[in-house]
Amino acid sequence: MCPRGEEPVAAGLLDGALADTVRRTGASAGGVYLLDEPARTLELAVMCGVPVEVALPWGRMAVAAPFPVADAVREDRLVWVASQDDMVRAYPRAAAGLPYRFALAAAPLPGRARCWGALLLLWPASHPEVATRRERGHITAAARRIARTLDEAPAPPAASARPRLIPVAGDPAGVPSHHAAADYLERLPEGAVALDLEGRITFLDSTAAALLGRDADRLRGTRPWQSLPWLDATSAEDHYRTAVISRDPVAFTTLRPPDTHLRFELHPDASGISVRVTRAAPPEGTGPPCPGPAASPAPAAPPAPTAPASAPTAPGPTGTPATAAPGAVQVGRLYQLLHLAAALTETVAVRDVVDLVAQQILPAFDADGLVLSAADAGRLRITGHHGYDPGVIERLDGLPLDTDLTPAGQVLATGVPSFFTDPAEMAHGYPRAPQISGKQAWAFLPLVISGRPVGCCILSYDHPRSFTADERAVLTSLAGLIAQALDRARLYDAVHDLAHGLQQALLPRSLPTVAGLRIAARYLPASHGMNVGGDFYDVIRLDSTTVAAVIGDVQGHNVAAAALMGQVRTAIHATAGAAPDEVLARTNRVLADLETDLLVSCLYAHIDLARGRAALAGAGHPPPLLYQPGRPPGPVPLDPAPLLGVDAELTCAVTDLVLTPGTTLAFHTDGLTEVPGADPDRVTADLARYLAAHASQDPDLLIDGLIRHAWTSGRYTDDIAMLLLRTEPPAP
């Protein structure tokens, strides 16, 4: 946290650095995301050139999210998106919420000791699709300047729930007399309106006011689609957003009730939008042009009745939204809903759903708290929460579905959402509810699928708050999407827990303790759901100084592979103690008797600590890595043999090793070394060098270091099983 008094200084430095960057690069808009390292999230701290509302759905995102700024931070590179087509191909979720023409660049902010976050820049649609090498250099240099500003700030600026909006540039100097300009406009037969980048009317002449049917004083400072109900019933806000983001001129014609057709031409630049308003001929089939001079406007139409809460009209196939019906939600909310819907489809586990709602839906609706509960055996079990004291959650967890303590049960029973603007409204029906959490406003959203109650989502606020009709409509639609995501995630978690339990049951519960030998093992699954891996390892104690070590990999990732893996382990246990080649030959005959189509790779080692010897045999399995003090590290030179299950008369060569004190053997499956885009032999050699350089580490630290060294991304494309053994000098 910034010390009080230093935070405004840091924020001011960041604001100035961003405004300077936008001017230097010729961008139309920009923003700075700050990295919250512990939470692995990016927070939009400051922006300029576009309305804050446009950016709210992306105000907070996980570093792992599929979005350009997240990729820039995660991959430490400049990300260039040349067009809307590129956005659709590379970032379909983001494209659903930003269906506009523009070019985009995202660059990491590399500080002296940390990455501060990312710089986001937008250019008009007219920008060339290819960023030149020089332009890319300017962008990365600008990112370094911002990072240097953050390095030198008294304390890092803190992000807030709503990013700061700053101007790109001040008012231009040398502007002619305002009176002369206004007189000039008044003499023209068309209306003139000026909007700022937030969409608010900053100026309109009398002709424009007459055409719009409302006094100028009542329109200044408002957004026209909010102050003119008939304009809200069109896609006017979307045309405005298109102009302000793409910087393209936009024109559209709409009807001012009862019969006046108006044409709006929007001309954007970095400081705002100039709008030209003229009368237009009615479309064919709608009757003759409306009579009457422009100076005699018809009275403004009364607001249209609010439509029932329902999902808004989806955009057409080209990305241009269909004209909304009266009372429909605002276009910005529609795109926000599309973005959140796309994000929900990517959630997998219940934790993912909770994190998404907390990171994106709460900021989008300015909410302060979240409780997500699932219907389970007649009760509401809390599956996730945000912004609540643990004691409150403990009291709410496990309430019966017919509870009268909160509206959750009633909402779930009826399937109708409830909105409470303040504690008094809540206390009218539920007297005890306001005292539970101290919150001041609530939205209770039932999570129902095909009439089946799934749970309840509660958004809460620290201050009294009213809910507009479009917010209620979007939240109601969003509840259905959350319900589907939550139900799917609960099923995934159940299946995953079953698979994980099966996998763990087939692996050894513990490793034996043997004097003179240090042992560490790891199993890392890369698959999801019921795709159980066939990798296995085991250490079998034969007597006080002798052990057998085995590692293997059954072909496939399913229940059949796991079952066969269990049978292979049993067969090896039954013959452990015999010579390594005999153990593998007998296990191979068991596979032949089972008549399975699956193949198995296996490596077996007989380790005699009293004699300081080891005998190894392998069947189609990668050799272990070997390090002995004073000798070069590398894989053990084993004679290759076919996989188990290929030839019923399998024979394997045996390799003998002398185990000097400090000898380290690292057994592994091929998931460790088969890194996409890398030569397995080079990966193996690199791991051997790492093993030698860190051989003195505790085996548990060393085995984790080997895995991280091979897979720096932390994402494994195959299961990894690993077994590490190190001999120790005899006790004095």
Side-chain angles (χ1 to χ4, degrees):
M1 295 294 293
C2 252
R4 185 171 297 178
E6 292 185 355
E7 182 175 323
V9 174
L13 291 172
L14 180 60
D15 295 355
L18 174 62
D20 182 62
T21 296
V22 171
R23 285 193 296 268
R24 282 172 179 250
T25 58
S28 57
V32 171
Y33 282 83
L34 296 179
L35 174 62
D36 183 343
E37 187 63 53
R40 298 300 292 163
T41 58
L42 289 162
E43 314 271 352
L44 181 58
V46 57
M47 58 181 300
C48 62
V50 294
V52 171
E53 286 75 12
V54 172
L56 279 181
W58 298 272
R60 185 172 190 261
M61 71 181 71
V63 172
F67 201 74
V69 291
D71 279 359
V73 171
R74 192 173 59 251
E75 300 172 9
D76 189 28
R77 66 180 179 91
L78 172 67
V79 176
W80 175 258
V81 181
S83 64
Q84 180 65 10
D85 288 342
D86 279 0
M87 181 71 83
V88 170
R89 282 192 294 267
Y91 303 97
R93 186 209 292 181
L98 287 170
Y100 309 109
R101 296 174 59 239
F102 59 88
L104 173 152
L109 303 177
R112 284 192 292 264
R114 54 166 293 187
C115 175
W116 284 104
L119 167 67
L120 176 68
L121 296 171
L122 277 69
W123 285 267
S126 57
H127 189 284
E129 290 196 359
V130 177
T132 65
R133 183 175 180 180
R134 182 173 182 176
E135 186 172 21
R136 288 172 177 266
H138 285 326
I139 296 168
T140 54
R144 287 195 295 270
R145 283 195 299 270
I146 292 177
R148 189 161 56 248
T149 298
L150 292 169
D151 281 335
E152 297 170 356
S160 60
R162 190 177 180 89
R164 298 185 304 279
L165 181 67
I166 61 170
V168 177
D171 293 331
V175 176
S177 165
H178 291 291
H179 292 295
D183 289 344
Y184 166 77
L185 293 172
E186 290 292 346
R187 289 190 290 267
L188 295 177
E190 57 194 35
V193 181
L195 306 178
D196 63 15
L197 293 177
E198 292 284 299
R200 292 181 294 260
I201 297 175
T202 58
F203 169 82
L204 74 165
D205 63 7
S206 59
T207 304
L211 289 170
L212 297 176
R214 186 70 61 88
D215 290 341
D217 291 341
R218 297 180 61 188
L219 290 175
R220 290 191 190 95
T222 70
R223 293 179 173 88
W225 49 88
Q226 294 174 349
S227 53
L228 300 168
W230 53 271
L231 198 55
D232 183 38
T234 71
S235 52
E237 184 185 2
D238 187 46
H239 290 305
Y240 148 74
R241 286 172 179 257
T242 299
V244 79
I245 295 175
S246 69
R247 294 296 196 262
D248 274 341
V250 175
F252 66 97
T253 300
T254 189
L255 172 68
R256 192 200 77 191
D259 54 10
T260 302
H261 290 84
L262 298 176
R263 177 175 174 81
F264 294 83
E265 298 176 15
L266 285 66
H267 299 271
D269 68 5
S271 61
I273 299 177
S274 297
V275 184
R276 180 176 178 235
V277 186
T278 57
R279 285 182 177 271
E284 283 188 34
T286 60
C290 54
S296 303
T306 301
S310 60
T313 305
T318 61
T320 303
T323 301
V329 297
Q330 293 179 0
V331 174
R333 290 293 189 192
L334 168 60
Y335 289 139
Q336 188 178 68
L337 180 60
L338 288 173
H339 165 68
L340 296 174
L344 283 167
T345 63
E346 297 181 7
T347 56
V348 177
V350 170
R351 184 71 255 169
D352 298 334
V353 178
V354 174
D355 289 345
L356 176 69
V357 175
Q359 294 173 6
Q360 297 196 30
I361 295 177
L362 289 191
F365 293 92
D366 296 326
D368 303 298
L370 161 73
V371 175
L372 194 63
S373 59
D376 182 17
R379 293 187 176 274
L380 284 167
R381 302 290 182 185
I382 293 178
T383 58
H385 60 89
H386 178 82
Y388 277 84
D389 184 89
V392 173
I393 297 302
E394 185 177 354
R395 185 176 179 187
L396 294 174
D397 192 21
L399 290 175
L401 292 179
D402 59 356
T403 179
D404 61 356
L405 183 61
T406 77
Q410 178 69 15
V411 162
L412 196 55
T414 62
V416 178
S418 292
F419 300 89
F420 300 89
T421 60
D422 55 46
E425 187 176 353
M426 171 71 82
H428 182 71
Y430 301 89
R432 294 178 291 170
Q435 284 74 43
I436 295 177
S437 63
K439 299 293 185 181
Q440 301 293 301
W442 301 262
F444 285 80
L445 309 174
L447 306 180
V448 180
I449 298 177
S450 300
R452 175 172 58 89
V454 174
C456 186
C457 178
I458 305 169
L459 303 183
S460 59
Y461 298 80
D462 292 338
H463 304 283
R465 184 187 194 280
S466 59
F467 297 89
T468 64
D470 72 285
E471 285 178 327
R472 295 179 185 229
V474 171
L475 285 171
T476 301
S477 301
L478 195 58
L481 299 172
I482 295 174
Q484 294 179 38
L486 181 62
D487 195 48
R488 184 179 64 250
R490 291 178 66 195
L491 176 61
Y492 167 82
D493 282 351
V495 172
H496 183 268
D497 290 345
L498 176 62
H500 181 73
L502 174 61
Q503 189 84 59
Q504 294 304 309
L506 294 173
L507 293 172
R509 291 181 177 273
S510 61
L511 298 173
T513 301
V514 182
L517 189 66
R518 298 286 303 278
I519 306 172
R522 294 290 184 271
Y523 173 76
L524 300 173
S527 52
H528 301 289
M530 281 299 293
N531 290 336
V532 186
D535 292 18
F536 65 94
Y537 64 85
D538 210 345
V539 178
I540 306 164
R541 180 172 176 147
L542 302 175
D543 58 40
S544 61
T545 61
T546 310
V547 298
V550 61
I551 193 166
D553 186 358
V554 179
Q555 178 186 19
H557 293 83
N558 49 39
V559 175
L564 183 60
M565 181 255 282
Q567 292 170 309
V568 170
R569 283 191 61 226
T570 301
I572 292 173
H573 267 263
T575 57
D581 56 336
E582 185 63 23
V583 171
L584 293 182
R586 293 178 185 179
T587 304
N588 186 62
R589 286 194 288 273
V590 170
L591 283 178
D593 292 341
L594 292 173
E595 297 183 349
T596 176
D597 294 330
L598 301 178
L599 303 177
V600 181
S601 72
C602 190
L603 176 64
Y604 181 92
H606 183 94
I607 299 173
D608 188 338
L609 296 172
R611 296 177 57 238
R613 309 284 296 186
L616 297 84
H621 197 86
L625 300 176
L626 171 66
Y627 169 71
Q628 292 179 311
R631 297 187 178 182
V636 175
L638 296 179
D639 288 334
L643 294 162
L644 301 180
V646 173
D647 183 359
E649 302 301 325
L650 174 73
T651 59
C652 299
V654 177
T655 300
D656 291 316
L657 287 177
V658 176
L659 300 179
T660 58
T663 295
T664 303
L665 283 166
F667 301 83
H668 61 88
T669 55
D670 57 10
L672 180 70
T673 54
E674 293 186 353
V675 180
D679 180 5
D681 292 337
R682 293 186 63 180
V683 175
T684 300
D686 192 32
L687 287 172
R689 288 190 292 271
Y690 184 93
L691 178 65
H694 300 82
S696 60
Q697 278 189 335
D698 180 87
D700 281 304
L701 296 176
L702 178 56
I703 197 170
D704 290 336
L706 284 165
I707 295 171
R708 285 196 302 269
H709 190 69
W711 290 90
T712 55
S713 67
R715 299 178 182 178
Y716 323 114
T717 59
D718 194 5
D719 299 339
I720 297 174
M722 196 168 183
L723 181 64
L724 191 143
L725 296 89
R726 177 191 294 157
T727 60
E728 294 187 326

